[in-house]
Amino acid sequence: MNSSLKNTLSVESHKRLLREMLFARRFEERCYEAYVERKIGGFLHLYCGEEACAHGVIEAARPGHDYIITSYRDHIHAIKSGVDPKAVMAELFAKVTGTCKGLGGSMHIFGVDHRFMGGYALVGGPFPLAAGIAKGIKMKGGDEICICFLGDAANNQGTFHESLNMAALWELPVLYVCENNLYGIGTRIDRSTAVVDQYKRVSAYNIPSRQVDGQDIDVVYDAAVDAIEHVRSGKGPYFLELMTYRYRGHSMSDSNAYREKAEERRWGERDPVIILRDRLIEAGEMTLDDYKKLDHEILEQIEDEIIRFAEESPEPPLEMLEKYVLVENDPWVRGGAG
Amino acid sequence: MAEMMFWEAVRRAHDEEMARDPMVICMGEDIGVAGGTYKATKGLYDKYGPERVIDTPISENGFTGLAIGASFIGVRPIVEIMSVNFAWLAMDQLFNSAAKVHYMSGGQLRAPVVVRSPGGTAHQLGAQHSARMEKVFMGIAGLRVVTPSNPRQAYGLLKSAVRCDDPVFINEHELMYNLKGEVPDEEYFMPLEGSEIAREGRDVTLFGYNISVHWALQAADVLAKHGIEAEVVDLFALNPIDREGIRQSVSKTHRAVIVEEAEPPVGVGSEVMAIINEECFFELDAPPVRVSAKNVPIPYNHKLEKAAIPSPDDVVRAVLKMFGK
Ligand SMILES: Cc1ncc(C[n+]2csc(CCOP(=O)(O)OP(=O)(O)O)c2C)c(N)n1
Ligand SMILES: [Mg+2]
């Protein structure tokens, strides 16, 4: 592949990752359609264009073992962490078979069995939660790490600085991954942020950091392996900045009118799925026809398995409304077990 | 009188106040170049420029605090917080600085800042985007809270809030920006205290505010068919709240139902009931009732979401029950 990379993936891994990333793309595009068809409600934030970020980092981690937490743009992080895409789609369809029984919605996918600790809707909210999970890991003495994926604009919340300080001070095993797609809704990064290179902002806390291309999965994976090794070996937090771009509006209610067409075209030419596809084709590991076949299979799987499951699942019963407000049957509510 | 939409009324108030006083500024996320999530500042960036129409970073506590600090020395900021759910983050500055500085400085400093923010349950926005926070804001001494139910109020309340030397929180609603209504052509200032009678009646008073005024009005239409003439009182000011207006209406109808979009504990309903208790208990012919949301975070599923918040039907049912029907 690229000779400057230290950590490389096998051809088999490449093929699997291509499938996963193409699946992610088609999954999100299908969500778009389902939203237009009013099968999905609320706010819907799609991940198209940013696939190599979650896939490259989580590929280098140990999903199911390491903890992962993110923002509202969370479907693909959940799926790559091991959450069943059928349950994700069912959640979006507000069905009882969804990841959160239809109570959460797109911005709140959870898969705690897979240590996917959830998507959160308040910008900057997960920074301290991730540090707290890392604190828990440290107390328990395991070799897990916590990976927190957030956007560039989130770094302007106080929680960013507060969490970095605590994570560095207490040497917490947390990897902060900044998916820098250059925008916070309609505001371009240089209009909201004094220092545009996000990795530079963490140097004040003596946290090692790096900025790499977020469109090339090999580059992301390579950087993530090193970052994760640093964190897992007990050296404290790390900050990885991935330069990326979202191919659609911020959410479904965003007109996307603020971005220049030339910029969109430029990033469109650096499509993470196509980059990996062409790499495999150039290496003689795949033909364009193979790719088309794969695409077709994925589209079929999404329609026949995933959408169908979501469509056919029942809605949550009305009694669910008041179910999870407080923990049920906690003996301490009565002052003890007796 | 011209008809305009709620967002246009808010925008007009901004525009007039900014044209009048060069110290009036507005700031918030995506309010400048993008014109605001609900268009409340549309076109103002081009008209007044980036020094006065400020796109902020996503730093709610920071930019609210900055606005408060600027207000100490003569700037008149109108802050938009994109959604009340994000105003939780700004509560430190709003409560600890804006609401208290006049008092703790022994009257030396003032914080004439306006913070506008929409709340409420909209369309399946889920637990973290469906807060109704008026109940939190209205309990803070030193902070005025108003909540318009129509474009005229939205315009007139913002006009007065900008001129008032107290910090004012304006609680808007995500579902009401396209609501149409008459707004006077000439300049118009609403008082920041008081209430309005949205519909006269003699049998029962329905207290509402913001969106729940509309639910109360719809319920009153239905109740009229049952022979019950409901009075609808619009509590557009929540702090201070109109004790005298509450007393007068209940003294006339002898029955009270409070309609609130929020959960029942510690809210407009409980406050109005306490006031009735204190002001006119012996006027009552029946125990007051509140029609509130379920005491739950808001679920994503549409059916459950609808079941979580009150509807005009719930109001009708509560009133009929009160009359033994
Ligand atoms: C505390 C808070 N403030 C504002 C918002 C509204 N909001 C949602 S996403 C967003 C932009 C975030 O941009 P970024 O962190 O770069 O992530 P991206 O959406 O680009 O992935 C804003 C302002 C919010 N959800 N929470
Ligand atoms: Mg961004």
Side-chain angles (χ1 to χ4, degrees):
Chain A
M1 303 283 123
N2 185 330
S3 56
S4 67
L5 299 180
K6 210 166 90 196
N7 312 288
T8 50
L9 289 155
S10 67
V11 170
E12 283 323 302
S13 300
H14 268 155
K15 286 186 175 168
R16 178 176 43 77
L17 283 165
L18 178 66
R19 186 183 206 290
E20 289 175 8
M21 290 208 292
L22 183 56
F23 176 87
R25 176 70 55 84
R26 297 303 184 217
F27 184 93
E28 295 287 75
E29 286 169 346
R30 191 60 182 83
C31 290
Y32 182 101
E33 283 172 35
Y35 192 92
V36 174
E37 293 162 5
R38 294 175 155 269
K39 298 276 165 68
I40 298 177
F43 284 141
L44 178 68
H45 307 81
L46 302 176
Y47 198 58
C48 302
E50 308 189 28
E51 293 87 350
C53 299
H55 283 91
V57 173
I58 299 174
E59 182 71 16
R62 296 187 212 156
H65 181 70
D66 293 331
Y67 294 88
I68 291 169
I69 189 165
T70 189
S71 71
Y72 41 83
R73 204 179 295 286
D74 58 355
H75 312 162
I76 302 307
H77 301 80
I79 292 171
K80 180 64 181 164
S81 300
V83 178
D84 183 352
K86 291 207 291 291
V88 175
M89 190 63 86
E91 184 63 28
L92 304 181
F93 278 53
K95 299 299 179 75
V96 73
T97 52
T99 53
C100 309
K101 307 182 175 70
L103 296 178
S106 165
M107 301 196 288
H108 309 300
I109 303 294
F110 283 73
V112 175
D113 287 348
H114 302 276
R115 297 201 167 166
F116 181 70
M117 306 302 278
Y120 297 80
L122 278 284
V123 171
F127 283 124
L129 301 178
I133 291 168
K135 170 69 181 163
I137 292 170
K138 207 169 171 184
M139 287 175 69
K140 291 179 168 185
D143 73 340
E144 300 95 328
I145 68 167
C146 182
I147 305 178
C148 175
F149 290 88
L150 284 181
D152 46 293
N155 298 345
N156 292 324
Q157 286 289 21
T159 51
F160 172 71
H161 298 278
E162 294 167 24
S163 306
L164 289 175
N165 180 50
M166 291 187 284
L169 180 68
W170 297 323
E171 294 181 332
L172 301 178
V174 55
L175 168 60
Y176 287 109
V177 179
C178 175
E179 300 176 323
N180 186 347
N181 61 13
L182 308 176
Y183 288 83
I185 309 188
T187 303
R188 209 181 50 227
I189 187 162
D190 57 318
R191 296 190 60 248
S192 68
T193 310
V195 175
V196 169
D197 288 322
Q198 298 304 297
Y199 76 99
K200 291 183 183 162
R201 300 177 79 185
V202 306
S203 62
Y205 302 98
N206 273 346
I207 294 175
S209 64
R210 203 172 152 200
Q211 180 189 62
V212 302
D213 177 10
Q215 301 306 90
D216 184 330
I217 185 133
D218 285 309
V219 174
V220 175
Y221 175 79
D222 181 57
V225 169
D226 288 349
I228 288 170
E229 193 180 278
H230 173 94
V231 176
R232 208 184 297 284
S233 67
K235 295 191 190 120
Y238 192 101
F239 183 90
L240 181 59
E241 179 181 10
L242 306 176
M243 301 308 295
T244 187
Y245 204 72
R246 60 171 156 71
Y247 286 172
R248 294 192 177 271
H250 168 73
S251 70
M252 295 296 288
S253 41
D254 176 20
S255 67
N256 215 6
Y258 44 83
R259 300 198 305 195
E260 283 182 6
K261 290 289 156 259
E263 179 184 280
E264 291 189 321
R265 217 175 307 114
R266 223 170 32 250
W267 283 92
E269 285 162 10
R270 305 220 57 247
D271 185 321
V273 178
I274 304 303
I275 289 175
L276 180 56
R277 179 197 74 181
D278 289 351
R279 193 160 291 159
L280 278 162
I281 291 176
E282 265 170 46
E285 297 292 344
M286 158 178 252
T287 64
L288 200 56
D289 276 345
D290 295 338
Y291 175 82
K292 284 183 185 153
K293 213 173 119 221
L294 177 68
D295 195 9
H296 187 72
E297 270 170 36
I298 287 171
L299 289 171
E300 260 182 14
Q301 181 200 352
I302 290 175
E303 231 35 63
D304 298 351
E305 287 175 30
I306 294 171
I307 292 292
R308 187 149 161 213
F309 176 77
E311 293 263 20
E312 289 175 358
S313 292
E315 290 195 54
L318 220 47
E319 306 86 70
M320 195 97 97
L321 180 58
E322 292 176 270
K323 192 161 158 55
Y324 298 104
V325 181
L326 294 171
V327 174
E328 269 173 44
N329 300 321
D330 184 329
W332 296 103
V333 173
R334 298 186 305 275
Chain B
M1 289 268 192
E3 236 196 18
M4 59 172 78
M5 286 199 243
F6 195 107
W7 70 264
E8 292 172 311
V10 177
R11 191 204 162 280
R12 176 179 153 197
H14 274 93
D15 194 6
E16 287 175 6
E17 291 305 298
M18 293 189 75
R20 174 188 61 88
D21 179 353
M23 294 309 273
V24 176
I25 63 170
C26 57
M27 52 196 294
E29 292 159 20
D30 275 311
I31 68 145
V33 173
T37 306
Y38 300 99
K39 298 190 277 194
T41 50
K42 194 177 163 196
L44 301 182
Y45 181 87
D46 290 337
K47 193 160 171 189
Y48 299 104
E51 285 292 323
R52 293 181 65 202
V53 181
I54 304 168
D55 278 317
T56 63
I58 310 175
S59 315
E60 285 84 3
N61 203 36
F63 67 72
T64 303
L66 186 149
I68 295 165
S71 79
F72 288 173
I73 62 163
V75 181
R76 311 292 293 206
I78 308 170
V79 176
E80 174 176 294
I81 298 183
M82 196 183 268
S83 141
V84 296
N85 301 270
F86 318 152
W88 292 114
L89 280 73
M91 280 181 1
D92 163 48
Q93 289 293 350
L94 214 46
F95 295 176
N96 283 322
S97 304
K100 295 184 172 67
V101 74
H102 187 56
Y103 190 84
M104 69 193 188
S105 69
Q108 296 174 73
L109 273 187
R110 288 168 185 193
V113 65
V114 181
V115 178
R116 306 173 29 250
S117 190
T121 304
H123 294 296
Q124 286 187 270
L125 303 187
Q128 291 190 324
H129 272 59
S130 303
R132 292 124 297 155
M133 278 175 66
E134 57 281 2
K135 54 154 71 193
V136 180
F137 289 105
M138 68 187 274
I140 306 297
L143 182 68
R144 289 187 179 277
V145 179
V146 293
T147 184
S149 65
N150 58 48
R152 172 183 54 81
Q153 291 185 0
Y155 168 77
L157 288 171
L158 179 52
K159 293 279 290 184
S160 300
V162 174
R163 312 262 183 131
C164 174
D165 275 345
D166 289 319
V168 182
F169 183 81
I170 305 184
N171 183 70
E172 296 172 0
H173 200 289
E174 306 207 356
L175 291 182
M176 286 167 61
Y177 286 102
N178 288 339
L179 185 80
K180 275 194 184 150
E182 303 261 292
V183 179
D185 296 328
E186 63 284 5
E187 264 195 320
Y188 165 72
F189 297 88
M190 279 272 291
L192 297 174
E193 297 179 16
S195 60
E196 287 181 348
I197 296 178
R199 175 186 175 124
E200 299 238 27
R202 56 173 198 279
D203 299 328
V204 58
T205 304
L206 308 179
F207 290 100
Y209 61 95
N210 188 256
I211 201 166
S212 72
V213 171
H214 300 277
W215 302 340
L217 286 169
Q218 285 171 44
D221 283 341
V222 179
L223 289 166
K225 292 181 196 137
H226 292 270
I228 297 170
E229 287 306 323
E231 174 146 302
V232 176
V233 172
D234 180 340
L235 297 168
F236 63 80
L238 295 180
N239 193 31
I241 196 165
D242 186 15
R243 298 180 78 92
E244 180 53 21
I246 293 168
R247 190 192 63 76
Q248 278 179 17
S249 184
V250 175
S251 299
K252 174 170 131 192
T253 64
H254 310 292
R255 291 171 196 264
V257 173
I258 305 104
V259 190
E260 59 185 346
E261 193 191 1
E263 317 86 313
V266 209
V268 177
S270 54
E271 184 60 23
V272 171
M273 278 196 188
I275 289 169
I276 293 170
N277 205 39
E278 289 162 354
E279 299 284 341
C280 50
F281 179 79
F282 294 107
E283 293 285 350
L284 288 170
D285 284 348
V289 168
R290 51 189 166 165
V291 178
S292 325
K294 292 274 192 315
N295 193 19
V296 300
I298 295 297
Y300 167 63
N301 178 276
H302 181 55
K303 218 169 59 194
L304 267 53
E305 181 189 52
K306 262 181 71 182
I309 58 163
S311 67
D313 286 347
D314 294 332
V315 181
V316 171
R317 262 194 298 277
V319 174
L320 291 180
K321 192 169 161 212
M322 183 181 260
F323 281 88
K325 295 195 182 183

